[in-house]
Amino acid sequence: MKVFEKDNAILKMLSEAVSEGLVIIDGNQTIVSTNKAAEDMFGYAGKELLGKHLDILIPKNYHHSHHTYVGEFITDADKRQMGHGNNLFGLRKNGKTFPLEAGLNPFQIKTKVFVMALVVDITKRKEQEQRILDLNSDLEKRIKTRTQELEKTVDKLEFEIIKRTEAENKIKQALKREKELNELKTKFLSMVSHEFKTPLSGILTSTILLSKYHLTEQQEKRDKHIRTISEKVHYLNNILNDFLSIERLDTGKENYNMTTFKLSKVINEVVYNANMLLKSGQNIHFPSEIDDYQITMDEKILELSLSNLVHNAIKYSPEDTPIEIDLEKNKSHITIHVKDYGIGIPLNAQKNIFSRYFRAENALHNQGTGIGLNIVQGHLKNIGGSIHFKSEENKGSIFTLILPINCAL
Ligand code: ADP
């Protein structure tokens, strides 16, 4: 204390000149000098702090760590900044603590060690820091909430987009179906007008001619015209039956009558009827020993399918070529092949061959409606069978029916 009193005036002047709080302690951590800023900061008046232990300015729970720290500091005296990074607190006279930053400056007067602590009250800075931290965490929270909201909106939007795309696709499909239906109608009308015109004008011609044969000996001519008329009526009747068949297939109203019968019965009938259509030099070859081929299915459907294939084979192949029917059988299915050596189906038409009203370019000079194969395919699908073909233009075609031995609905 005495050392300080000596130079009191100079010290006073110096210590009052610094804006930080200044506390000088001796080697026992006893306060030997303070400036006004330090007194104001800690809430003491005048010389009140002099002679008190440094602990008076430090909250109780920090005493221990401070003792060690300041002790160590005095031993290897060195200028150091306290309170950077580690949180230091001061204790005001009124018992309130406050954050502070302290720079420690050791010095010696004669043999005595002193430490001058320059103390800054950082309450405001800490408050600002805290405010910034609060603001930051508030901002983070808001960003989080916004992000979540955004994510929800994005999810909703995505859902909305998916729904819209689905709706769009449905509309597109409906439009496509509508377009296809329109195309079918157009094809149907052009086919009807074309296919009906020729036989009808044939019937008309025969009727006109018929009326001209009055004499008894002209009976042969009359018969010829009556045959023509009946053939053409038959043909038109077949087309109309096909239309009715389509209608029933489309509306799912087709009723199948499953019975068990010998395959040879149907094949014989089909071949017998087809013989009348054969061109000159055409023959139908079919297996004769097939009596053990029994099948359970709708007999009419088998007859319709097989005669369709045989009639096409006759129609689309030239004179003097054979038409071959072959059978195969395994445990569950009977396979029937109908082979011809005719005009064949051009490669680019093959994918459409089962489409309704479709006719390949090379078939157009033969009469036809493009309905038959479509109907056969429809029926076979319904009863668990199928139809396939292999064909090469100008070489011929093989159409194949695969039928379950026991068609069950
Ligand atoms: P249609 O014979 O009355 O035109 P189909 O539905 O029976 O109708 O046949 C569709 C089309 O398939 C035919 O127009 C023809 O182009 C082709 N086709 C069918 N069978 C044969 C065949 N054996 N040889 C060549 N082309 C065929």
Side-chain angles (χ1 to χ4, degrees):
M1 283 287 264
K2 288 212 178 89
V3 200
F4 274 92
E5 280 159 17
K6 237 204 247 167
D7 301 312
N8 204 13
I10 307 166
L11 188 78
K12 198 77 190 150
M13 197 184 74
L14 284 174
S15 65
E16 294 310 332
V18 290
S19 58
E20 292 104 326
L22 183 133
V23 179
I24 299 176
I25 53 166
D26 63 12
N28 299 321
Q29 301 190 19
T30 307
I31 300 170
V32 294
S33 181
T34 52
N35 70 351
K36 174 103 174 45
E39 288 148 13
D40 289 349
M41 193 184 297
F42 289 95
Y44 292 92
K47 304 219 179 263
E48 220 179 330
L49 283 169
L50 296 186
K52 301 272 170 10
H53 193 275
L54 178 64
D55 278 354
I56 198 170
L57 302 180
I58 298 166
K60 242 199 174 108
N61 46 336
Y62 290 99
H63 282 182
H64 179 69
S65 56
H66 260 261
H67 288 171
T68 353
Y69 185 73
V70 177
E72 272 173 15
F73 182 74
I74 289 169
T75 347
D76 47 308
D78 187 8
K79 190 173 151 198
R80 238 179 280 180
Q81 186 82 12
M82 278 179 88
H84 265 315
N86 42 1
N87 291 325
L88 282 186
F89 288 92
L91 177 67
R92 296 194 217 276
K93 190 179 176 185
N94 62 10
K96 296 239 165 84
T97 55
F98 66 98
L100 60 79
E101 216 170 66
L104 302 184
N105 301 276
F107 61 94
Q108 253 180 321
I109 297 180
K110 296 193 180 144
T111 53
K112 285 201 159 194
V113 178
F114 295 93
V115 177
M116 178 176 71
L118 284 168
V119 187
V120 185
D121 181 345
I122 54 169
T123 309
K124 286 232 166 71
R125 201 211 295 165
K126 283 278 173 190
E127 276 171 7
Q128 272 166 358
E129 276 174 14
Q130 193 51 47
R131 211 171 302 141
I132 289 174
L133 283 178
D134 289 350
L135 277 175
N136 275 348
S137 89
D138 187 46
L139 204 68
E140 268 173 29
K141 262 188 222 152
R142 272 203 251 169
I143 289 177
K144 216 171 163 186
T145 340
R146 284 278 154 85
T147 317
Q148 280 170 350
E149 280 170 9
L150 259 176
E151 275 171 0
K152 269 189 207 155
T153 318
V154 170
D155 281 355
K156 254 196 212 161
L157 266 176
E158 277 176 355
F159 183 65
E160 202 52 32
I161 289 173
I162 290 174
K163 263 187 13 193
R164 251 183 224 190
T165 324
E166 275 174 7
E168 242 177 59
N169 283 345
K170 263 190 202 160
I171 293 175
K172 270 189 202 157
Q173 264 176 355
L175 274 175
K176 200 174 150 218
R177 266 203 303 275
E178 179 83 22
K179 215 175 131 202
E180 282 171 358
L181 215 69
N182 268 338
E183 277 169 13
L184 274 184
K185 270 188 207 158
T186 318
K187 277 188 195 166
F188 171 74
L189 287 177
S190 82
M191 185 273 294
V192 167
S193 43
H194 183 258
E195 282 309 301
F196 277 52
K197 222 170 159 183
T198 325
L200 281 177
S201 64
I203 291 171
L204 193 64
T205 317
S206 288
T207 335
I208 293 169
L209 290 176
L210 255 185
S211 63
K212 295 198 170 147
Y213 301 124
H214 301 292
L215 305 174
T216 320
E217 56 271 27
Q218 288 174 321
Q219 186 56 35
E220 209 177 298
K221 288 187 174 157
R222 274 197 293 272
D223 283 347
K224 187 181 149 241
H225 287 294
I226 288 171
R227 231 181 8 256
T228 310
I229 291 172
S230 102
E231 267 170 23
K232 299 211 183 296
V233 168
H234 203 68
Y235 175 76
L236 289 175
N237 191 42
N238 277 344
I239 295 184
L240 288 175
N241 278 339
D242 278 354
F243 289 156
L244 290 176
S245 206
I246 282 185
E247 165 74 13
R248 281 199 305 274
L249 269 175
D250 282 355
T251 51
K253 281 185 190 147
E254 188 69 53
N255 284 322
Y256 297 104
N257 177 23
M258 300 303 186
T259 54
T260 305
F261 55 91
K262 282 188 176 166
L263 214 58
S264 55
K265 182 180 162 217
V266 176
I267 292 183
N268 288 334
E269 254 169 46
V270 170
V271 172
Y272 178 81
N273 291 330
N275 274 330
M276 291 183 251
L277 304 171
L278 288 175
K279 294 174 189 159
S280 134
Q282 278 185 331
N283 283 304
I284 302 177
H285 302 286
F286 61 101
S288 48
E289 290 174 13
I290 50 168
D291 271 354
D292 56 334
Y293 279 62
Q294 276 212 345
I295 193 165
T296 304
M297 73 175 280
D298 187 309
E299 195 176 327
K300 283 223 166 61
I301 296 304
L302 178 60
E303 192 182 331
L304 175 146
S305 306
L306 195 58
S307 50
N308 219 295
L309 299 191
V310 175
H311 290 181
N312 279 349
I314 297 171
K315 187 161 66 168
Y316 297 116
S317 58
E319 294 177 352
D320 300 319
T321 54
I323 285 130
E324 293 158 6
I325 301 176
D326 282 318
L327 294 186
E328 281 168 42
K329 182 178 147 182
N330 65 21
K331 267 191 208 150
S332 56
H333 289 85
I334 288 181
T335 306
I336 308 177
H337 304 284
V338 178
K339 184 173 181 183
D340 68 62
Y341 299 84
I343 60 171
I345 301 165
L347 208 58
N348 64 359
Q350 295 197 359
K351 61 178 184 304
N352 297 316
I353 225 66
F354 295 109
S355 305
R356 192 172 295 170
Y357 307 129
F358 179 85
R359 307 200 66 217
E361 282 289 320
N362 65 341
L364 294 182
H365 46 263
N366 288 91
Q367 278 198 325
T369 57
I371 297 176
L373 290 180
N374 179 266
I375 292 178
V376 172
Q377 192 189 43
H379 284 306
L380 291 186
K381 244 188 218 164
N382 285 349
I383 59 168
S386 57
I387 175 167
H388 312 268
F389 71 93
K390 274 191 186 142
S391 184
E392 202 177 326
E393 200 175 357
N394 298 321
K395 290 232 164 105
S397 313
I398 303 179
F399 276 82
T400 303
L401 301 176
I402 300 180
L403 312 164
I405 290 181
N406 270 303
C407 293
L409 286 176

